[in-house]
Amino acid sequence: MKAVYFFCTDTKIERVAPQVFESVCGLKKLTASEKNFDGKPVLEHVDYKGNLFSFVETSNVLCYDYAGYLPYMNELFGEYDFAGQITWHEGANAPERVLTVHSSGDVPSGVFGTASPLLFKNLIIAVERNRQAANLDGFFTSIEGTHWSGIDHDQKAEYIARFPVPIYDVEIGSMPEAWHNKDASDVLASSLFEVFTPFSDKYDKAFTVLAAGGMHFEENFTAAILNADYPISIGHHLPNQWLVSGEYENGGIEKVEKAVKSIIGGIDAVVFHEGLKGAYKQLCRDTGEKYGVPARKHKALRSPEELLNKA
């Protein structure tokens, strides 16, 4: 299998990627390939199972110039299995010391990037496992709601769907002390090599949930995906704030269908936060009925075995 990771290594622009890239280079022997991207050779590593990992330096944050990078992304990496953009997280009321991964999409407009629930779960559990091994107790691991920062930099939402590879943001947030924490960078760097390492030897596929409602960092959904004892993973998470701004109460089923179709393997359940308004809850039930899967309140995630058995 093949994974590619993008790092803007300009320290005037990026807070996290340069240090994580340095950690990656110190972890494994990387070889300069014949591929070039943004004027620099793509570095590669092949693990003992034959998995290929490509590491790409960019002069700008990938999603800040997605239109410019897209042709080369598709030409060089369009047939890969996984992609990641290494970057920082910040924002009002953002958690201070977090290691986070999220799928790509613009929920309000209903444009979603390809999602791989199994590889997502592999990666986020690797992050948590390596965080614990490093005794990085001041940090915590979390998923985020599906989003794409290119929207804030004049990139069109439609660009997201033009790269067929599942691409996720892998971030450290949300303050300078965290961004520049060497141990946190080492944890992320190690985890990047484990995206194809099965999260459990008991399962070879994920039980995929389309998650709706709740906060941007929703603890209930994070707890479910970090539980390695069960195969529950998230395809996309559509937080409450963007369901509202996207007016999903008015014909939102078409946008939800686009989310489902973008998820490799489809969905096994719809799980919605109990705090959602009635119209959104009904939308989740309608989605479950359309795809022949159960629609459950988020508390069902606290009884994963029961959820799996009823699906």
Side-chain angles (χ1 to χ4, degrees), residues 101-118:
V101 184
H102 68 82
S103 61
S104 296
D106 182 53
V107 178
S109 65
V111 178
F112 297 91
T114 302
S116 174
L118 179 60

Side-chain angles (χ1 to χ4, degrees), residues 54-115:
S54 297
F55 300 93
V56 180
E57 290 185 78
T58 61
S59 58
N60 199 355
V61 177
L62 191 72
C63 65
Y64 288 11
D65 186 21
Y66 217 64
Y69 286 133
L70 258 177
Y72 308 102
M73 292 166 63
N74 281 311
E75 178 184 352
L76 296 177
F77 311 112
E79 296 182 356
Y80 274 47
D81 302 287
F82 189 85
Q85 174 183 251
I86 317 307
T87 188
W88 79 97
H89 184 275
E90 65 178 329
N93 303 315
E96 292 185 346
R97 295 174 182 85
V98 62
L99 308 174
T100 180
V101 184
H102 68 82
S103 61
S104 296
D106 182 53
V107 178
S109 65
V111 178
F112 297 91
T114 302

Side-chain angles (χ1 to χ4, degrees), residues 111-186:
V111 178
F112 297 91
T114 302
S116 174
L118 179 60
L119 299 183
F120 182 26
K121 188 170 179 88
N122 286 349
L123 180 58
I124 197 72
I125 284 183
V127 171
E128 174 60 7
R129 182 173 59 242
N130 290 323
R131 183 197 68 79
Q132 293 182 22
N135 295 314
L136 200 60
D137 296 332
F139 284 73
F140 70 100
T141 303
S142 178
I143 68 169
E144 288 183 67
T146 298
H147 68 284
W148 188 63
S149 298
I151 297 296
D152 299 323
H153 296 273
D154 300 320
Q155 300 297 296
K156 298 178 181 179
E158 64 191 60
Y159 296 160
I160 303 170
R162 293 185 183 176
F163 186 52
V165 181
I167 184 166
Y168 288 76
D169 277 17
V170 185
E171 307 173 356
I172 298 175
S174 301
M175 56 188 293
E177 179 186 328
W179 298 333
H180 304 302
N181 185 294
K182 180 63 167 57
D183 291 335
S185 294
D186 289 345

